[in-house]
Amino acid sequence: MTDERLRRWRLVLGGDADGTGCALDGTDTRMDGALAALYNAGGEGGRSGGLGASAPRVARWLGDIRSYFPSTVVQVMQKDAVERLNLTRLLLEPEMLEAVEPDVHLAGTLLSLNRVMPDRARESARALVRKVVSDLERRLARKTKAAVTGALDRSARTHRPKRAADIDWDRTIRANLRNYLPERNTVVPSRLVGYGRRQRAVQREVVLCIDQSGSMAASVVYSSVFGAVLASMRSLKTSLVVFDTSVVDLTDRLHDPVELLFGTQLGGGTDINRAIAYGQGLITRPADSILILISDLYEGGVREEMLRRVAQMTAAGVQVIVLLALSDEGAPFYDHDNAAALAALGVPAFACTPDAFPGLMAAAIERRDVGRWAERELGRTTT
C-alpha cells in the first residue's frame, strides 16, 4: 500500500498510528482533529473529542473544516454535526450563521427554527437563506425557462401555418418523407407542420401544493425557488400554497422566494385533503391546468375525501402529479398505500431531483405520459 493510501486510511480510521503504521503531522494533524471532534465523539471507536456546547468553539471548527475540505465535504460534515451533536440551538447564534457554508440542508434547518429564532439571529439567517436561493436560481432558472418555453411552443403547433415564416421545415420534411420523389430529388409535402402564433395570454395554470412537515425541508426550499421562476413567466399563471394541518397561500410572495420561505412553518401535522381542496379552488381552466402535490403522502386528514377530490380533478382534465420529494437526498420515506391509491387513479407519484424538474414541467405542459417520462429519465418506477 502506498504512503498516500495509508495516510488516507489513517484519516478515515482515526486513532493513532498503531493500526496503519502511519503517523500524521502538520495540516494532517489538524484535519484529523476536525474529524475527531465530529465522528465517534466521546471516545467511541478509534476517535475521541467533541464540539461541546460552546458556540465560539463550534465556529472555529466550522472555519477549520472550510479550510481543510472542499465545499461538498463541508456541507456533509455540517449536516452530520447538526444531526449527531444536536447543534440546532447553536445555529441561532449570529457568529455561527456567519461561519457555516450555506446549503439547502442548513436553509431548511433554519426555516424550521423560524418561530423560535431571536431577532439578533434573524438577519444572519436571512442572509444565509438568500445566498442559498440565489445560488439555486443561477443554477436552475435558465434551464427551467428554456424547457417550459420550448414545451409551450411545441404544444402550440399547427397544421395550418398562415405564413411561410411559421412553417417548421424540419418537422414538415420528416412528416412527408413518404412523399419523396427520387426523379426530382425533392419531397412533396401533403401536410405542413408549423409553429402556432406565440401567445401573450396565459397558456397554463400551475398550482404547487407543498407539504411543510419537517421531513420535507429540502423540498420546500427547492419548490419555492422553482415557484418563483415559473411565476416570472407570463405564459403561466403560477400559484403556490404550503400546508400542514392548515393551508397558507403564499402566491403573493413568489416575487421574493426568501420572503416566501420565511412565510413557511416547517413541522407539525399534515392535512393533504384540505390542501388539495384549496388548490382545486384556484383552478379556472381544468384542461389547461397542472397541479403538483409535493408531499410524502402521510395523510392526517380524511383520506377518502382526498382521493375523491383527486379523481374529480383528473376527470375534469387537470393534470395531477405527486412528487414524493423534490431534492437530492435520495429515496424518500412515503406512504405506499396512498401512493398506490393515487396510481390507481392515473396519478403518478415519484421522487424528482431539482435538475430533472424542468424536464418534468416540459413533459406535463406537452401532456406526455409523466409516469413513463419518470421511468425513462429518472430510472424510477412510479407508484
Side-chain angles (χ1 to χ4, degrees), residues 201-252:
V202 171
Q203 298 181 53
R204 293 288 189 278
E205 295 182 359
V206 179
V207 179
L208 299 174
C209 290
I210 306 169
D211 185 342
Q212 59 178 353
S213 58
S215 61
M216 302 295 293
S219 297
V220 170
V221 176
Y222 281 116
S223 301
S224 299
V225 172
F226 279 119
V229 173
L230 296 175
S232 69
M233 305 183 69
R234 291 190 299 176
S235 297
L236 302 178
K237 177 188 174 184
T238 303
S239 303
L240 184 145
V241 299
V242 296
F243 66 93
D244 41 36
T245 53
S246 59
V247 180
V248 180
D249 192 330
L250 297 177
T251 302
D252 61 347

Side-chain angles (χ1 to χ4, degrees), residues 79-373:
K79 180 178 179 181
D80 288 348
V82 172
E83 294 176 351
R84 294 166 63 95
L85 303 180
N86 194 25
L87 300 183
T88 302
R89 291 181 60 190
L90 289 181
L91 284 176
L92 301 180
E93 300 289 337
E95 59 266 33
M96 281 281 290
L97 293 175
E98 293 166 5
V100 295
E101 182 81 18
D103 64 20
V104 169
H105 173 77
L106 279 174
T109 301
L110 290 174
L111 293 172
S112 70
L113 298 171
N114 186 24
R115 285 172 287 183
V116 299
M117 189 176 296
D119 291 340
R120 63 194 185 93
R122 195 169 297 278
E123 285 308 310
S124 297
R126 282 183 178 273
L128 185 148
V129 173
R130 189 170 295 280
K131 185 176 189 308
V132 171
V133 167
S134 296
D135 290 345
L136 291 177
E137 285 183 318
R138 281 194 296 271
R139 171 185 150 195
L140 301 170
R142 181 178 298 179
K143 182 179 179 181
T144 303
K145 290 181 178 180
V148 170
T149 300
L152 288 169
D153 286 345
R154 288 189 293 273
S155 67
R157 292 196 184 279
T158 178
H159 293 295
R160 292 185 177 181
K162 296 183 179 180
R163 304 177 303 166
D166 292 335
I167 299 174
D168 183 340
W169 290 107
D170 180 63
R171 287 180 177 269
T172 295
I173 291 170
R174 280 188 285 166
N176 290 277
L177 285 176
R178 63 182 178 181
N179 298 330
Y180 176 67
L181 300 179
E183 65 276 12
R184 300 201 175 199
N185 196 29
T186 190
V187 171
V188 179
S190 61
R191 66 186 182 94
L192 300 176
V193 180
Y195 303 106
R197 295 291 185 102
R198 186 178 295 275
Q199 301 178 31
R200 293 176 178 250
V202 171
Q203 298 181 53
R204 293 288 189 278
E205 295 182 359
V206 179
V207 179
L208 299 174
C209 290
I210 306 169
D211 185 342
Q212 59 178 353
S213 58
S215 61
M216 302 295 293
S219 297
V220 170
V221 176
Y222 281 116
S223 301
S224 299
V225 172
F226 279 119
V229 173
L230 296 175
S232 69
M233 305 183 69
R234 291 190 299 176
S235 297
L236 302 178
K237 177 188 174 184
T238 303
S239 303
L240 184 145
V241 299
V242 296
F243 66 93
D244 41 36
T245 53
S246 59
V247 180
V248 180
D249 192 330
L250 297 177
T251 302
D252 61 347
R253 301 191 189 189
L254 279 170
H255 66 282
D256 186 343
V258 176
E259 285 299 315
L260 189 156
L261 284 167
F262 276 91
T264 64
Q265 295 185 356
L266 287 169
T270 308
D271 192 336
I272 301 173
N273 174 52
R274 179 174 291 186
I276 289 178
Y278 188 90
Q280 186 178 16
L282 296 174
I283 294 171
T284 62
R285 296 159 48 188
D288 295 321
S289 296
I290 304 165
L291 185 141
I292 301 178
L293 172 66
I294 303 168
S295 172
D296 55 16
L297 294 180
Y298 287 104
E299 172 65 307
V302 184
R303 177 181 187 267
E304 293 74 16
E305 186 71 9
M306 173 197 61
L307 296 174
R308 186 183 68 80
R309 290 186 187 280
V310 171
Q312 283 180 343
M313 284 192 290
T314 56
V318 179
Q319 192 164 12
V320 181
I321 301 166
V322 175
L323 299 184
L324 304 169
L326 179 55
S327 70
D328 290 310
E329 294 184 340
F333 293 99
Y334 64 95
D335 189 307
H336 290 261
D337 290 339
N338 282 335
L342 288 167
L345 298 175
V347 175
F350 54 92
C352 183
T353 64
D355 285 333
F357 186 80
L360 166 65
M361 285 302 305
I365 287 170
E366 295 179 54
R367 287 201 165 272
R368 286 184 269 147
D369 187 321
V370 172
R372 290 186 179 178
W373 174 89

